[in-house]
Amino acid sequence: MSFSVRIRMGIAVLALAALLPGMAAAADKSQPREAQSRLDPQALDILEKSCKALTALKEFSFQANVALDKVYEDGSKVQFSRVMHLNVRRPDAFRVVTAGDDLKAASFFDGKTFTVLQPDKKIWSQIPAEMTIDAVLDRLADMYGLESPLGDLIVSQPCARLKMTAAVYVGKAVVGHTVCDHLFFQGPGADWQLWVPEKGPALPAKMLITYTSLPRDPQFQAVFSAWKEGPIAAKTFAFTAPEGTTRDDSLFTPLEAKPAGKAKRKAAAKTAN
């Protein structure tokens, strides 16, 4: 699990060059290769503070305004928007409610079962899952090809599996009305950026991932708000089928049973979920 590759329940976004007009050290190809691949101590220090702030959360909620790219078979790339509300109780419960241009859904995990509700289609799907958040997210990705970068924010150790070849401190930037430290990273298969508030809790204000290993370099962007820590009622994570809905577990067809095959399915999931 890593910022650069995962996140589960929701995902990818915009052009890197347009977003970083002043970032010579990381984005300007005229710079020496050594300058583009260095590990900047300042960037790593701020990242560590953000990782510690995320790890310290036990019961919390936040909102993510997401923009993501979908790449179609003819090569066209279209951007969609979603608003996602997340409630998390580590180590064994979460709820994600998504309203977007392309998707309306809710996911429930209570430590015993994982359920997805699609209200527009009036269906829900469920699998047994007596396990932790980390384990259920791994199972969804490995067995069903279902993942989203936001999953990396809710696991027990959000930064434990990070791998990077470059870390650059870009400078100050404003997200909403908050002054942030803007960081740029390169890793296997993806470039990613993080905006961390200059003052107060170092919880991410914004994240941008560019999937360099996928056709057309699709992107995923999330702007975070309404971070709140405190007890969350158990009923928040419980699922009760709404009246008029029916169960349909076709969503949870194992990867090996899907006609597209595991590799193709997982690539599509990272781009389109």
Side-chain angles (χ1 to χ4, degrees):
M1 237 172 283
S2 72
F3 278 123
S4 62
V5 183
R6 299 266 243 222
I7 304 239
R8 334 257 191 204
M9 304 331 93
I11 316 192
V13 209
L14 324 180
L16 195 60
L19 289 173
L20 303 179
M23 185 176 161
D28 186 347
K29 294 184 179 180
S30 67
Q31 293 294 315
R33 184 176 182 84
E34 293 77 15
Q36 297 185 43
S37 61
R38 71 180 188 271
L39 295 174
D40 184 338
Q42 184 178 8
L44 295 177
D45 181 62
I46 296 170
L47 174 64
E48 183 180 6
K49 290 178 182 177
S50 188
C51 291
K52 287 182 177 179
L54 281 169
T55 302
L57 299 174
K58 301 306 177 186
E59 294 187 54
F60 61 101
S61 60
F62 65 97
Q63 177 177 308
N65 283 31
V66 170
L68 59 94
D69 289 343
K70 288 189 177 182
V71 178
Y72 295 88
E73 290 185 0
D74 65 357
S76 58
K77 184 165 65 175
V78 179
Q79 185 182 99
F80 294 88
S81 297
R82 298 175 181 174
V83 177
M84 304 176 68
H85 297 271
L86 294 89
N87 290 271
V88 183
R89 185 189 67 204
R90 288 175 172 147
D92 60 2
F94 64 78
R95 183 182 73 175
V96 183
V97 178
T98 302
D101 304 332
D102 61 328
L103 175 71
K104 288 182 175 59
S107 302
F108 302 81
F109 174 58
D110 61 2
K112 298 179 180 179
T113 60
F114 175 78
T115 308
V116 175
L117 170 67
Q118 296 177 294
D120 288 357
K121 297 181 179 180
K122 298 187 182 301
I123 61 172
W124 55 276
S125 307
Q126 189 174 79
I127 56 173
E130 286 200 55
M131 56 187 68
T132 63
I133 292 173
D134 298 38
V136 75
L137 293 182
D138 281 342
R139 174 177 290 186
L140 290 170
D142 296 340
M143 291 187 65
Y144 306 106
L146 301 172
E147 54 184 320
S148 160
L150 295 186
D152 288 329
L153 301 182
I154 69 175
V155 295
S156 58
Q157 298 290 328
C159 303
R161 301 183 193 180
L162 281 179
K163 295 181 180 180
M164 65 188 74
T165 56
V168 178
Y169 179 76
V170 182
K172 300 297 182 183
V174 177
V175 178
H177 298 289
T178 302
V179 177
C180 297
D181 291 307
H182 181 187
L183 314 177
F184 171 83
F185 303 90
Q186 288 181 323
D191 295 342
W192 52 286
Q193 298 172 60
L194 198 65
W195 286 256
V196 180
E198 179 185 42
K199 298 179 180 179
L203 298 169
K206 182 179 175 181
M207 176 174 69
L208 173 65
I209 302 171
T210 303
Y211 294 92
T212 55
S213 61
L214 296 179
R216 300 292 306 277
D217 295 342
Q219 294 182 305
F220 170 87
Q221 175 181 276
V223 177
F224 304 109
S225 62
W227 289 96
K228 183 179 179 181
E229 186 174 18
I232 301 175
K235 64 180 181 180
T236 302
F237 310 107
F239 174 75
T240 300
E243 186 175 350
T245 62
T246 58
R247 181 166 178 164
D248 178 357
D249 287 338
S250 60
L251 174 65
F252 295 115
T253 303
L255 285 169
E256 57 270 21
K258 296 180 184 290
K262 183 173 181 177
K264 185 175 180 181
R265 173 64 183 175
K266 289 198 76 173
K270 290 174 183 175
T271 310
N273 287 340

